[in-house]
Amino acid sequence: MYIKKRLARFIKKSSTWFIEKRLARAQSSSVAATKRKPELSKNGLRQCLRVAGGGMLGFVVSQLMGWNYGVFFTVFPMFLLGMVPILNGHIVRQFLANVSINVLEVSLVVGLLKHMPVVMTLVVMGIFLFRFNLMAKGPLFLFGANGVLTLSILLHFASYPNVDLSDLLACNLVASGLAVFIAMLMHTLFPDVEARKPPPRVTKPSSQIRHETLIGGLTATLSFVVFQVFDLQGSLSAQMATILVLFTLGYSGAWVSAAKRAVGTLLGCNLALLMQLLLYTQSHHFLLVVLLYWLGLMLFAREHIHEGGGSGIGFGGMTTLGILFGQSLGPQQDLVYSALYRFSSMSVALALTLLTMACLHFALNRWTPTRLPESSLS
């Protein structure tokens, strides 16, 4: 009798434990389901199509025309369509004005100061500080951000003696004009369904503007110096990564951006390797290459829209694909070495960039005119 009671009690406890475990699993699965990313809105889907279509069209035109510096033609449309969800006269004027000024700056800096590296570095630092000051203030953020990114790429290429400066600047002008045309075409083909709300204006104290200007300008200058001293001509993706993480305008945001950028670059490299394996000996079939490239851009563009824009996982993956296909895809090239080298160099560059920003952040916060307000110290 005693054994029967013990057995009945054990069966009751076991059944109760089993039911509780099933309920806990059901609750955890329901919580996971609620955390799944929602479907894209109508505007989000249209922007996703614009970004993927624009990046693909830039790649197609550059490949068919046989133009040099294909990275300009692949990345510029992504930047213009991905960083800002709308297109108006103010945005186009900022983009085109930046291109014209960049050509003038590079012509003067490289043409007149190439034989004086110290003076050239000081002038480049002044240009970067001016651009980051515009970004920190807000209204001309696109002008400053595009200027920093484009200028760093142009100076990176133009400083090498085997580069034809006129061809480099001409490709930059053509790619920028083509990016504006592609953006207009994409907005015509895939217009927004609903009107978008303008982003809220943010007011910053003068000390925060100085802090963000100095930490961005000095880090960008150090990145330029390092890539010149160590002759890292083939590390364009790593240099772009060091610039894109600075768009957060602060050390705390750079940590998050760098982690997302690393994940996006890793995914972009792996996807490029997978495409290389799928194509195998059929990489000369241009339509197959374009189809896979568009599918990859759509995948990362969707993630970019879910992240709310900015330089995150989606944008990192898109630009990685753009650089690999625009710069490393050719009859005698494959993407395997380029993808592996690109991720390893980018990881080292991001680690050194974060270390530099940490030192500057600590030093600037010890000086009252450049100290961040308490609300920003996180």
Side-chain angles (χ1 to χ4, degrees):
M1 194 70 182
Y2 174 76
I3 296 176
K4 289 182 178 180
K5 288 182 179 180
R6 296 285 295 180
L7 183 60
R9 189 178 301 173
F10 174 76
I11 294 173
K12 184 178 179 181
K13 287 183 177 180
S14 300
S15 60
T16 303
W17 176 84
F18 180 75
I19 293 172
E20 289 177 350
K21 291 290 287 184
R22 291 299 296 266
L23 288 174
R25 287 182 181 178
Q27 289 176 354
S28 62
S29 62
S30 64
V31 171
T34 57
K35 290 183 177 179
R36 289 176 185 170
K37 293 177 180 178
E39 294 297 325
L40 286 176
S41 64
K42 293 181 179 180
N43 278 0
L45 178 60
R46 298 299 181 93
Q47 187 181 1
C48 184
L49 291 170
R50 290 196 296 265
V51 174
M56 181 203 68
L57 193 56
F59 169 73
V60 169
V61 172
S62 66
Q63 292 294 314
L64 292 179
M65 299 300 293
W67 286 331
N68 297 324
Y69 306 103
V71 63
F72 293 151
F73 298 92
T74 57
V75 173
F76 283 1
M78 297 178 194
F79 183 88
L80 189 55
L81 292 165
M83 283 297 182
V84 285
I86 61 174
L87 187 70
N88 52 37
H90 180 60
I91 292 173
V92 172
R93 284 191 295 271
Q94 286 190 61
F95 193 82
L96 294 180
N98 170 73
V99 174
S100 305
I101 295 175
N102 276 344
V103 170
L104 181 62
E105 289 171 337
V106 174
S107 300
L108 294 176
V109 170
V110 177
L112 299 178
L113 304 175
K114 192 174 182 178
H115 61 288
M116 296 183 289
V118 176
V119 179
M120 179 180 174
T121 301
L122 292 176
V123 173
V124 169
M125 182 176 66
I127 296 174
F128 280 146
L129 288 173
F130 171 70
R131 294 289 168 77
F132 274 100
N133 185 257
L134 294 178
M135 293 169 64
K137 291 179 178 178
L140 296 177
F141 182 90
L142 179 65
F143 178 85
N146 188 33
V148 170
L149 181 63
T150 307
L151 190 63
S152 62
I153 296 174
L154 290 175
L155 290 173
H156 179 80
F157 282 129
S159 59
Y160 293 97
N162 59 336
V163 173
D164 186 351
L165 184 60
S166 59
D167 180 46
L168 172 66
L169 298 180
C171 287
N172 177 59
L173 284 172
V174 173
S176 301
L178 181 64
V180 172
F181 173 77
I182 289 175
M184 292 179 177
L185 178 63
M186 291 297 106
H187 277 275
T188 303
L189 295 176
F190 308 108
D192 282 337
V193 179
E194 304 170 351
R196 294 180 182 265
K197 297 180 180 179
R201 289 187 174 272
V202 180
T203 57
K204 301 177 182 178
S206 300
S207 60
Q208 183 175 353
I209 293 177
R210 296 189 196 101
H211 183 101
E212 293 174 352
T213 299
L214 288 172
I215 198 172
L218 293 178
T219 306
T221 305
L222 287 174
S223 173
F224 167 73
V225 171
V226 169
F227 278 88
Q228 295 304 301
V229 171
F230 291 97
D231 196 21
L232 301 175
Q233 188 173 3
S235 302
L236 178 62
S237 182
Q239 188 183 26
M240 282 184 61
T242 62
I243 298 300
L244 287 171
V245 296
L246 299 177
F247 288 1
T248 58
L249 298 177
Y251 170 66
S252 57
W255 269 103
V256 179
S257 178
K260 290 183 177 181
R261 180 77 193 176
V263 173
T265 303
L266 177 61
L267 294 176
C269 291
N270 287 334
L271 185 58
L273 292 175
L274 179 61
M275 291 178 181
Q276 180 82 1
L277 292 176
L278 289 175
L279 290 171
Y280 198 52
T281 58
Q282 305 300 316
S283 58
H284 59 281
H285 290 292
F286 189 61
L287 290 179
L288 290 177
V289 175
V290 171
L291 177 61
L292 288 178
Y293 182 62
W294 180 80
L295 290 174
L297 291 183
M298 280 291 293
L299 181 66
F300 286 120
R302 185 177 185 274
E303 179 63 25
H304 175 67
I305 304 304
H306 274 305
E307 291 176 318
S311 180
I313 296 175
F315 194 76
M318 282 192 299
T319 53
T320 298
L321 280 183
I323 293 172
L324 286 171
F325 276 76
Q327 196 178 27
S328 305
L329 188 67
Q332 306 300 324
Q333 296 172 306
D334 68 65
L335 301 177
V336 177
Y337 172 77
S338 297
L340 296 176
Y341 173 73
R342 189 150 274 106
F343 179 72
S344 60
S345 62
M346 183 273 307
S347 301
V348 175
L350 283 180
L352 294 176
T353 300
L354 289 176
L355 179 61
T356 302
M357 293 184 72
C359 296
L360 290 173
H361 177 78
F362 177 78
L364 292 173
N365 274 331
R366 295 182 64 86
W367 191 34
T368 304
T370 57
R371 183 175 299 158
L372 287 177
E374 293 295 331
S375 57
S376 301
L377 290 173
S378 58

